[in-house]
Amino acid sequence: MSGGTLNLFIGLAMGLNLLALGSSRLPSLIRAVSLQGVLLGVMPLLLEHDTFDWRVVLVALATMVGKGLVIPGLLRRAMRAANVEREMAPFISYVPSLLLGAGGTIAAVALARGLPLLPEHAGTLLVPGAIASMLTGFILLIGRAKAISQVCGYLILENGIYLFGLLLIHSTPLLVESGILLDVTVGVFVIGIIVDRIQRAFDSLDTRKLTTLRE
Amino acid sequence: MNLILAVILRLAVWLLLAPLLPGIINKVKAWVAGRRGPPVLQLYYDLAKLWRKGVVLSTLASPGFIAGPAVAWVALLGAAMLMPLGPGGTALSFRGDVLLLIYLLALARFCTAWAAMETGSAFEGMGAAREVSYAVLAEAAIVTAVLSLSVQTGSVSLVTMLSPSAGAGAVLLAAGLFTVLLAENCRVPFDDPNTHLELTMIHEVMVLDHSGPPLAAILHGASVKLLLFAVLLIQAVLPLGALSAPAAAGALVAGVLAVTVGVGLVESWLARLAFRRVPLLLTTAFLLCLFALLVAWKGGAK
Amino acid sequence: MPGPLLLFAFAALVTGIVVGVRMSRLWLALTVAGTTAGFGAALMVLLGAADWEWRSGFSLGDELVHLRLDGVSALFLALLCVVGGAGAVYAREYWPEKHYPASAPRGRVWWSALVLSMGLVLTVSNGLHFLIVWELFAICAFFLITLDRQRREVRAAGWLYLAASHAGTMALFAFFSLLAARTGSWDLPGPMRERADLSSLFWLVLAGFGVKAGVFPLHIWLPSAHANAPSHVSAIMSGVAIKMGIYGIVRFSGWLPVPAAAGWVVIGLGATSALLGIAFAFAQNDFKRLLAYCSVENIGIILVGLGAALLALTHGDAVWGRLALAGALLHVWSHGAFKALLFFGAGSVLHATGTREMSRLGGLWRTMPWTAGLFALGSLAVSGLPPLNGFVSEWLVYLGLFDAVTSKGPSAWAALPAAIMLAMAGAMAMASFAKASAMIFLGAPRTQAAAHAHECGMGMRAPMLMLAGVCVGIGLAPILFWPAIRRAAGSWCPGWGAEETPAPLVALGSVHVALAVLILAAAAWLWRKAHTNGLRRGMTWDCGYATPYARMQYVSASFAGIVSGWFRWILQPERKIRRPRGHFPEEALRLERVPETVLERIIGPVSAAIMRVSTTVRQLQHGRLQFYILYVVAGLIALGVLVLLGGAP
């Protein structure tokens, strides 16, 4: 029962990946990322547990708040501060990146069938979802010019790693996941500061302009 | 004898009911905007008026200018005759009839584009270019949707392939087909049928120079096409075969009405997309159908 | 009984070669008689049960002459004879003695030679003889393409064709010699599917014949050759000559075992050719180049069908394979008929206006109603629209692909993308031909030449009418053509010929007839209704613009702009834009040209680089003896070092 719901959630998360790839407006990109964060936060609760584990609930709550509210909120603030709304000229434009992402998702589903998985994970979409999210993150990181989109790409990449982490939720302490979350938060802070600096220095958020600093 | 009767009855349904849909859409739009709006039967009045009117023909136009709408109208009605109507089944069914249906729509498109190019007007050339170009992506989406139905049921004939299974696949397919419906029938967000700026039109700008009975044929054909896509969408998504005949008929009618109201609501709430964004939306529709196909594939393998 | 007919056809064509220079009437009569006889022979084989085979006692090059006409070759022979005869009739008015006193007689001779050599390609059953007649065919085609050899671009197109053709022939030389070496004889005895060791030879077949067929990356010669040849030559080149490549692939994939990957590769090449070929076609401004690229698309459709059949053969799912193969074989006929029709129509426009650029035409329907109507019919057929022949064959291919997908076997993964790409290619073909026929025939004439065009005479109209009849015939009564297709499929794979007429095909045929009747009736009704209501002629409304001007109309590049934007990555259009400036702009300019990307962006630079390297290396050869001795010594030392280092145990 809960396996079906879990798959539905992962499927939705994969759909959000594609939405993120296809959206040119930064607010909708951030909204997709935050919604994906909330979905990911619910997932630990849906995994089958023999006993009630308060740590699982804690992590779920922390993820939902962190990925769904705090980080997107910070990104929105950065966006407003930098006064950008739109990704103007991406390196990989939207239709190709959408097709790449869809191809990657299909390939991930096909690939996951070939992997040696535990029988309890074989039926779920956890692994394909993880691979697809990481791929989406990479496409965004490579294909977008604005720093905020790249941060979103980084977050989606991290979401993929989180999905992989869910496979180990029984065997490893959730500290690992919390550590990752912490990393990301710190990363976002750092990037937020950098974004601000870039904006002040160059009057633009286009990372292409950073190439003048290569010397 | 029975066959002829069935064909005539079916033809009457398509001919008479199709112009209702644009009326409903306009009523919904008026209702959302808080206006009274034109009567639901407005298109019938328009058609009757146009049918009696004379024709102004551009000096540049060949007889193809009038033949084009006629051929398109026959093609659209032919496509409609292939489409099963819920419990009513179909007048004619054979393996691969679904491909004939898709290509009849293409024939109608060719003839409309041909008639538009007859006048030598730059506006109409623009509309025709857009129509045939966006059709490339729409066609890919439709064929993918048909393939997904085909995979689900293992059949290539409309009567048997329109018995879908519920689930994630149906939702994806519904979303994909609805987007294709909007694109193929030139509704918002692809095209705005009510705009007054010719530069931003697709379908309306193609028929700028038509008048009288040929224009009536074009308008009626467009309404048949809308009804056709609504019926296809409902039958592709709702498992009507599992219901008893009256219930299925009721569900079909209710579904078509729901789709029509949906189109009206979309038109009230959304704005027309910039043209450079249209391929993105059509690609999304294609991908939705593709994922529906893969879900159907996996569902069947279990 | 096919024997005497073929002998007669042979004799008539050979006599045609001899008398063609002087006696044009006799030549025409001989060519028409010869092709009719050949057509009769092909029909007898197709409708009868037995193949025709003749092992003679004569030898040529130490090999006994061995001729054979089976279902597959008879199918292609029938097409050759139809287009060969029609083209001969057409050429008499299109390329008359009066205007071309030097090249018209030459054209007649080479025409007979081309038809004869292609007929021989289809009948010889010996590897060595095949190579000889194949070469003969290539050379005849070269001389026909360069009939108008005063023009530089014609000569360039001819040389490019000859070079590409020989690159393909090289692969065929390798193929036939290896085949002869492995079987011990040049003779081609027929099916040898059990010889598994021969399967790798298929790649040579695909490369060698693929060049002739114009499969996508190997199509480089095709657009310029078809565009620059006289139109009756373009018609036979596009309708029949490139089918010889298809014939080769069909023939040897039927006789020899194929590797397991063959189906995948062929279907992939086919789908790519279909999609990219038509993308290039849509972007063209020269209508003959558009038709040429469209041939690449149609070759792709044929290969998709053939590839599906090969997949079915390897995976043992024969049912859908038969449908796809039947579709591919029928498309050979369909494409031959409508493409020859379209090239004849294009020739008629070229004859009347002297330009191949669509942006300089327009409004020709008024002066050329017959050509306009026939070209429109051809456009509908080539776009695969019902109720014409293009739809019937594409429908069969689609059915095969759909069945392959629903079978959910491994081949479904090839059929699925192929079906989607075919659908996109179909929509783009429709767009391309809506553009072509609209730009040429509709709207207002864009230049004086277009305004003063004239209709072609009966000599050019009759062949077009005949081919249009074939298009309509296959569309309305596909069942009449089914026995021939079944026979050819049976020769390709024994056991696949037993199929009775599929019931859906009967249904499709009757729907097509009903559709045709209704279309005519509705058009007539609406026409009458418009007239009884009162018909007024006025200026194009165009949103009230008062002084319309012919050059305001959409032109071909603007019509194709959206789609060529999507395919910019491969089309690589070259643009030259001068935007209007100021409040009263004096001039503005926008030129666009779509290059042959594979040729100009890949093969051109690579050959230029090779040339550069070669020129550098060539400096070593300067004629000074002392240095040559130095080279020898250096070479010896290098060899010695190599032996010392590598030879030590």
Side-chain angles (χ1 to χ4, degrees), chain C residues 90 94 287 344-355 361 364 368 371-372 375 440-441 453-454 460:
Chain C
Y90 183 88
Y94 176 73
F287 56 76
F344 285 167
S348 159
V349 171
L350 190 57
H351 192 250
T353 61
T355 180
L361 297 168
L364 289 185
M368 314 179 72
T371 309
F375 195 91
I440 300 174
F441 295 107
H454 56 86
M460 280 156 78

Side-chain angles (χ1 to χ4, degrees), chain A residues 18 22 24 98 102 106 113, chain B residues 277 280 283 287 290-291 294 298:
Chain A
L18 297 184
S24 67
L98 196 59
I106 295 170
R113 283 191 190 172
Chain B
R277 309 278 297 161
L280 186 67
T283 311
L287 288 177
L290 186 65
F291 284 115
L294 294 176
K298 239 187 129 219

Side-chain angles (χ1 to χ4, degrees), chain B residues 53 55 57-59 95 121, chain C residues 366 403 533 536 538 540 542:
Chain B
K53 282 211 162 193
V55 176
L57 207 58
S58 163
T59 39
R95 257 165 58 78
S121 147
Chain C
R366 199 174 289 280
D403 283 355
N533 281 12
R536 210 149 49 75
T540 296
D542 210 8

Side-chain angles (χ1 to χ4, degrees), chain B residues 212-250:
Chain B
L215 184 58
I218 289 174
L219 292 180
H220 188 266
S223 69
V224 169
K225 191 173 176 186
L226 182 59
L227 181 59
L228 180 73
F229 270 90
V231 170
L232 172 69
L233 169 59
I234 291 308
Q235 295 191 97
V237 175
L238 293 185
L240 294 181
L243 304 174
S244 67

Side-chain angles (χ1 to χ4, degrees), chain B residues 56-58 60-61 65 69 109-133 198-211 215 218, chain C residues 434-435 438-439 442-443 446 539-545 548 552-555 558-559 562:
Chain B
V56 182
L57 207 58
S58 163
L60 298 174
F65 188 68
R109 189 176 297 126
F110 183 95
C111 293
T112 331
W114 169 284
M117 298 300 291
E118 288 265 5
T119 58
S121 147
F123 281 129
E124 281 162 68
M126 193 168 63
R130 286 173 186 162
E131 169 94 356
V132 296
S133 302
E198 288 80 4
L199 280 172
T200 63
M201 298 179 187
I202 301 177
H203 185 259
E204 294 299 310
V205 77
M206 284 168 64
V207 303
L208 272 181
D209 257 274
H210 284 279
S211 53
L215 184 58
I218 289 174
Chain C
K435 171 181 116 167
M439 291 302 150
L442 304 182
R446 291 179 179 82
M539 212 168 63
T540 296
W541 183 60
D542 210 8
C543 304
Y545 192 73
M552 281 168 55
Q553 297 173 95
Y554 244 46
V555 288
S558 36
F559 197 88
I562 300 174

Side-chain angles (χ1 to χ4, degrees), chain B residues 3 7 12 24 77 82 84 109 118 150 160 174 273 278:
Chain B
L3 181 76
V7 168
I24 298 175
L77 275 179
L82 290 173
R109 189 176 297 126
E118 288 265 5
S150 196
T160 39
L273 277 182
V278 166

Side-chain angles (χ1 to χ4, degrees), chain B residues 117 125 129 132-133, chain C residues 279-290 356-362 431-440 446 550-565 575 590 592-594:
Chain B
M117 298 300 291
V132 296
S133 302
Chain C
F280 272 98
F282 194 23
Q284 299 302 316
N285 182 32
D286 173 340
F287 56 76
K288 282 184 76 178
R289 276 183 90 87
L290 186 149
R356 299 200 311 246
E357 284 181 51
M358 287 188 271
S359 311
R360 296 184 181 278
L361 297 168
S432 305
F433 281 89
K435 171 181 116 167
S437 43
M439 291 302 150
I440 300 174
R446 291 179 179 82
R551 291 196 45 200
M552 281 168 55
Q553 297 173 95
Y554 244 46
V555 288
S556 97
S558 36
F559 197 88
I562 300 174
V563 173
S564 46
R575 292 210 174 104
R590 185 194 167 99
E592 190 165 315
R593 190 183 81 93
V594 176

